[in-house]
Amino acid sequence: MAVPPAPQEDENATEEPASGEARRRWRPSLGAVLSVTLLLSVLLTAALIHFSWQTVARANLKDLVGQLNDKIAGSIQQEVASVIANATAAQEALRTIFFQNVITPQDEAKREFIFLALLQSQPSLSWISFGWPDGHFFGAEKLGDQNIQMVEVTWLPKHLSARRRVDTYRIITGDIEFLQRSFTADAFDASQQPWYQRAMATDQPVWSDISLFPTETKPAIAISSQLKVFDRFQGVICVAIELERLSKFLAGIQVARSGTVAIVDARGRIVAAPELADKSDETAATDASTTVMNDALRDKLNQVAMEALHHFGMQLGQIHGTMSWDYRSTVDRDDYFVTFTPLGFNGWLVATVIPASDFLAEVERNTRRLAWIIGFFTLFMAAGAIWFARSAIARPLRRVTAELRHIENFELHRVQRRNSFLSEIDRLSGALVHMASGLASFQKYVPTELVRRLLKQGIEAKPGGTHLPISVMFTDLAGFTALSEKLGDAVVPVLAEYLSRMSPIIAEGRGTIDKFIGDAIMALWGAPEPNPDHALDACRVALACQQALATLGLEAQAQGRVPLRMRVGINSGNILVGNIGSEERLNYTAIGDPVNVASRLEALNKRYETAILIGEETRRQAGDGILVRRLDRVAVYGKEEGIAIYELIGLPAERAQLGSLGWIALYEQGLDLYAQRKFAEAIDAFKAADRECPDGDPPSRLFIERAKAFMIVPPPPNWMAVTVLAEK
């Protein structure tokens, strides 16, 4: 949270002297009045000019300081972000190479080649290393800009002692030259290092503050992660950046004429500063968390910055976000501007202390010069780092990773070969293309969208399931058996066209096709992905499918073919969903009583001459999102209790297209009278509903016949107005 600067008190405010009491008989002369008036005017004008100048100067000075701080912080943020990105990319690249089994950590020759290549391609990195669980260590260290050394620490049996091998190389144009090899005893145990232990505590890459290396002790930061190949732990990958590199970068930044800049952590300790760039190895060996500020930093940064923090009663850890926090302080009669800017990494802050005197002369010229220097320097460094990272490894690996994402999402048609000048990456890309080609051969035999969703939800391919609130839809083509006998083999393209029209409608409506059963479709809503609107979405899709089938029927009539008619049944409930089957063959489906009811509802359309029937729970959950009529209360085959069933009429937005729906109220009135054994009145209501319905109403005519039958032979006393179905 950014803290606003302290309000500055106006030191130039003046008090007007109180005028003495006028004497009754004394009158001032005109000359005296004019003299006093002119004097006061001059004084007030001078005070106003001075105040205005001071206000404008203070505002300009603050603006200039703010601009300078923004440029400095931006430059450092870009440098730190670039270094962090390079380390992360190198760590991920090495992990991918090992994970894809291009090489193994035990392959010494190829391992050294990969480590050298990575270290040469990333100028900002200091160490790339690997630690084994038994304490063994292997790493590549950059010695300045000219030399690289390979370090291997091998522990002898029983972990009694270790031997360190160091190979030194000189970097030459396009190659490296071997210089020397040395062996020494060592006690460096990789498994006991902070970067190793922190990586073991998490499955994600983690940053650590470290200082101990096999060949030296220097403050550094490191990103490390576990390496598992085929679910077997191999060791820990570590990429380190010596903090002295950041200090050298800070040393190249000119902060006004005599200001200073540093990177501090949340506890106020110096991470990097220009004064630390040229320290001797002995001083630099001190742990980063206990680095002692030198006299200049103590005078300028510690004294001024901490005085500002204490003034507001704050701690550095409270400064976060994207806004800078600044304060103006006076120490030994000198004004200083101190600014803290979050870096967005590890709680680090950029701290700048600038004497106000630096801006009193040639402010504009120095500001422009500093802006150009920082701009060109940042642009040059960013361009070089981006070129190295993208050209060598990052860009090819990002492309290969993108292709892996396509395979992971089962988007096999999008997989392309990504050529690379690195043979390993090129072969990896080729293998991915062959893999995608092989998987694509089986894609036509499995529900691809279902596979994608199961992968997305992380559902394993093993028997098991769970009860979920879902909706199930069954569809069937009326008269398809007769049509099959009539058309013979020619029915296949007709069925393919029908299923091709229905499938995308179901997918776009957030449904999952469970299976095709001949001409029937079974689809789910709410699994494998949760969907709180599963009932409403299922109803919308059913209506959309009927509309699409009507369009398909017009096309069939134009071609001289008989149009298809479809019956739909939908039911909702808490249903068992999961991988049903054996260990060898599975089917992701739903089973249970609500599923059976949905199938019975589809078949009931034939009895009532309707198109879409939905269950009682579906109607309740869809609510006002659909237009329905209460059709009947039935006990489906195999059930004794009756359930209310509804005919799906349309959506509220389609009410105008549906015309008058008054016949629905007449029908439901007849249904209530029928349940009350008022059969004659019920017949009148049903007849009225049949007349009002634009195309007539078969369910009304069905209930008229039932009512007439009950008028001849009344139902038993325990009759509940439930239609019992004697067949499926």
Side-chain angles (χ1 to χ4, degrees):
M1 170 176 174
V3 179
Q8 302 293 322
E9 296 183 0
D10 181 11
E11 299 175 354
N12 301 302
T14 58
E15 283 189 46
E16 296 186 3
S19 61
E21 185 179 355
R23 298 181 180 179
R24 294 182 180 179
R25 297 181 181 180
W26 180 83
R27 298 290 187 271
S29 64
L30 180 60
V33 172
L34 290 176
S35 299
V36 172
T37 302
L38 290 174
L39 178 60
L40 290 176
S41 298
V42 170
L43 291 175
L44 289 175
T45 302
L48 181 61
I49 293 174
H50 179 72
F51 177 78
S52 300
W53 175 86
Q54 199 171 46
T55 302
V56 172
R58 185 183 297 113
N60 290 340
L61 184 58
K62 182 178 179 181
D63 185 59
L64 288 171
V65 172
Q67 292 180 20
L68 179 58
N69 278 320
D70 289 343
K71 293 181 184 297
I72 294 173
S75 174
I76 297 174
Q77 284 174 335
Q78 289 183 359
E79 175 67 14
V80 172
S82 175
V83 170
I84 298 305
N86 290 342
T88 303
Q91 180 269 149
E92 181 61 24
L94 189 57
R95 193 195 69 81
T96 302
I97 291 171
F98 284 145
F99 180 78
Q100 296 297 333
N101 212 22
V102 176
I103 68 170
T104 65
Q106 290 75 25
D107 191 339
E108 181 176 349
K110 293 183 179 179
R111 180 184 66 198
E112 291 194 2
F113 171 77
I114 293 297
F115 277 45
L116 285 170
L118 286 174
L119 199 59
Q120 284 185 275
S121 66
Q122 303 289 354
S124 58
L125 305 184
S126 303
W127 276 88
I128 297 179
S129 56
F130 188 87
W132 282 266
D134 58 5
H136 290 358
F137 173 88
F138 178 79
E141 178 190 10
K142 183 176 293 183
L143 301 176
D145 297 327
Q146 301 299 323
N147 295 332
I148 292 178
Q149 64 181 16
M150 309 298 292
V151 181
E152 182 174 19
V153 178
T154 305
W155 281 88
L156 299 178
K158 298 184 179 181
H159 212 74
L160 297 177
S161 62
R163 186 181 69 167
R164 181 177 69 202
R165 173 179 62 87
V166 178
D167 293 344
T168 305
Y169 298 86
R170 177 187 294 117
I171 301 174
I172 59 177
T173 304
D175 202 353
I176 58 174
E177 177 185 358
F178 178 79
L179 296 180
Q180 64 177 5
R181 170 175 290 184
S182 63
F183 292 93
T184 56
D186 204 331
F188 185 85
D189 188 341
S191 64
Q192 300 301 314
Q193 302 308 309
W195 52 268
Y196 188 99
Q197 295 179 350
R198 290 206 64 188
M200 293 300 297
T202 177
D203 292 333
Q204 302 296 323
V206 62
W207 285 94
S208 310
D209 293 331
I210 64 174
S211 60
L212 181 61
F213 299 95
T215 57
E216 61 181 353
T217 303
K218 280 189 176 182
I221 56 173
I223 182 171
S224 56
S225 64
Q226 296 184 35
L227 174 64
K228 293 182 180 179
V229 179
F230 302 116
D231 292 329
R232 295 185 61 185
F233 176 70
Q234 303 293 322
V236 173
I237 298 170
C238 177
V239 178
I241 305 160
E242 293 178 359
L243 295 180
E244 187 178 358
R245 293 184 177 273
L246 295 179
S247 296
K248 290 180 179 179
F249 175 77
L250 297 183
I253 298 178
Q254 180 66 35
V255 183
R257 183 163 55 89
S258 58
T260 187
V261 62
I263 298 176
V264 299
D265 63 15
R267 291 176 290 181
R269 287 181 263 212
I270 299 298
V271 174
E275 289 80 359
L276 301 179
D278 297 325
K279 292 286 186 180
S280 64
D281 292 341
E282 180 181 355
T283 305
T286 308
D287 187 273
S289 63
T290 58
T291 300
V292 180
M293 303 177 184
N294 63 16
D295 294 339
L297 287 175
R298 186 182 302 110
D299 293 338
K300 293 182 178 180
L301 178 60
N302 192 30
Q303 182 179 357
V304 176
M306 296 310 163
E307 185 272 334
L309 290 174
H310 294 158
H311 177 81
F312 285 97
M314 293 184 59
Q315 298 295 325
L316 284 172
Q318 297 175 261
I319 303 175
H320 54 80
T322 58
M323 300 297 293
S324 298
W325 182 86
D326 52 55
Y327 178 69
R328 187 171 181 176
S329 177
T330 301
V331 177
D332 296 332
R333 298 183 181 180
D334 292 326
D335 289 339
Y336 293 90
F337 291 94
V338 56
T339 303
F340 292 94
T341 304
L343 276 177
F345 172 76
N346 211 27
W348 287 2
L349 304 167
V350 176
T352 56
V353 176
I354 306 174
S357 60
D358 286 5
F359 294 92
L360 297 180
E362 301 179 300
V363 174
E364 295 182 359
R365 183 171 64 87
N366 290 336
T367 302
R368 286 195 299 268
R369 179 183 301 170
L370 184 61
W372 281 108
I373 292 174
I374 293 177
F376 278 115
F377 184 75
T378 302
L379 182 62
F380 175 78
M381 293 297 294
I386 291 173
W387 184 86
F388 274 112
R390 290 185 177 181
S391 299
I393 295 175
R395 182 181 296 170
L397 284 178
R398 280 198 299 268
R399 290 176 175 175
V400 172
T401 301
E403 303 310 316
L404 283 171
R405 295 296 183 203
H406 294 328
I407 296 178
E408 179 184 1
N409 297 327
F410 224 59
E411 299 170 341
L412 305 178
H413 63 284
R414 300 182 61 183
V415 178
Q416 303 178 30
R417 185 180 183 107
R418 301 293 185 179
N419 295 322
S420 172
F421 70 90
L422 294 176
S423 60
E424 290 82 1
I425 297 179
D426 190 68
R427 289 198 297 270
L428 174 61
S429 180
L432 292 179
V433 172
H434 290 303
M435 180 194 301
S437 177
L439 291 174
S441 301
F442 299 94
Q443 193 172 12
K444 303 273 184 195
Y445 297 93
V446 296
T448 305
E449 187 60 33
L450 175 60
V451 173
R452 290 196 186 103
R453 294 183 180 182
L454 291 175
L455 290 173
K456 183 178 180 181
Q457 294 293 320
I459 298 176
E460 295 185 44
K462 62 180 182 180
T466 183
H467 282 83
L468 297 174
I470 68 169
S471 293
V472 183
M473 181 180 79
F474 283 91
T475 72
D476 194 24
L477 290 178
F480 185 74
T481 302
L483 182 64
S484 299
E485 295 175 353
K486 179 181 178 181
L487 297 180
D489 294 344
V491 77
V492 175
V494 174
L495 182 60
E497 183 179 16
Y498 159 71
L499 295 176
S500 297
R501 293 286 184 95
M502 300 300 110
S503 297
I505 296 175
I506 295 173
E508 292 171 4
R510 299 197 289 179
T512 299
I513 295 178
D514 184 306
K515 60 177 69 71
F516 297 130
I517 313 170
D519 61 310
I521 302 174
M522 177 181 175
L524 313 175
W525 279 262
E529 292 181 321
N531 180 359
D533 300 323
H534 55 85
L536 180 57
D537 283 346
C539 293
R540 287 172 174 167
V541 168
L543 293 168
C545 287
Q546 291 287 12
Q547 185 176 4
L549 190 63
T551 303
L552 186 61
L554 295 176
E555 297 174 2
Q557 287 179 333
Q559 298 172 5
R561 294 187 285 109
V562 178
L564 301 175
R565 292 185 298 107
M566 180 176 65
R567 296 188 293 260
V568 181
I570 302 174
N571 194 33
S572 304
N574 199 36
I575 301 174
L576 179 62
V577 185
N579 294 318
I580 309 301
S582 65
E583 291 288 347
E584 291 76 21
R585 187 175 180 85
L586 295 172
N587 182 23
Y588 186 84
T589 187
I591 58 175
D593 185 62
V595 179
N596 298 332
V597 171
S599 178
R600 306 290 190 274
L601 291 177
E602 178 275 315
L604 274 178
N605 283 288
K606 185 175 182 180
R607 176 188 292 262
Y608 292 95
E609 297 184 45
T610 53
I612 307 173
L613 290 182
I614 66 175
E616 189 172 4
E617 183 63 16
T618 302
R619 197 272 171 274
R620 184 187 69 80
Q621 294 195 32
D624 296 334
I626 55 176
L627 299 176
V628 299
R629 74 156 158 177
R630 178 165 47 91
L631 188 65
D632 196 358
R633 191 167 186 86
V634 302
V636 298
Y637 180 79
K639 302 287 293 186
E640 296 182 358
E641 297 181 358
I643 60 170
I645 62 173
Y646 298 82
E647 180 186 8
L648 180 59
I649 305 298
L651 300 175
E654 303 170 349
R655 184 181 291 272
Q657 303 173 14
L658 297 173
S660 175
L661 299 179
W663 60 274
I664 295 179
L666 292 172
Y667 177 88
E668 293 182 347
Q669 179 185 358
L671 207 61
D672 293 335
L673 294 170
Y674 176 82
Q676 298 168 14
R677 300 171 182 259
K678 299 178 181 180
F679 299 116
E681 298 176 33
I683 290 174
D684 293 337
F686 286 130
K687 287 182 177 180
D690 189 33
R691 288 193 304 271
E692 290 288 335
C693 186
D695 298 322
D697 188 36
S700 294
R701 295 193 289 272
L702 177 63
F703 269 95
I704 289 173
E705 296 302 322
R706 291 180 181 177
K708 288 180 179 179
F710 280 135
M711 291 178 68
I712 297 172
V713 181
N718 61 347
W719 179 71
M720 300 297 293
V722 175
T723 302
V724 179
L725 304 179
E727 58 183 13
K728 294 185 178 180

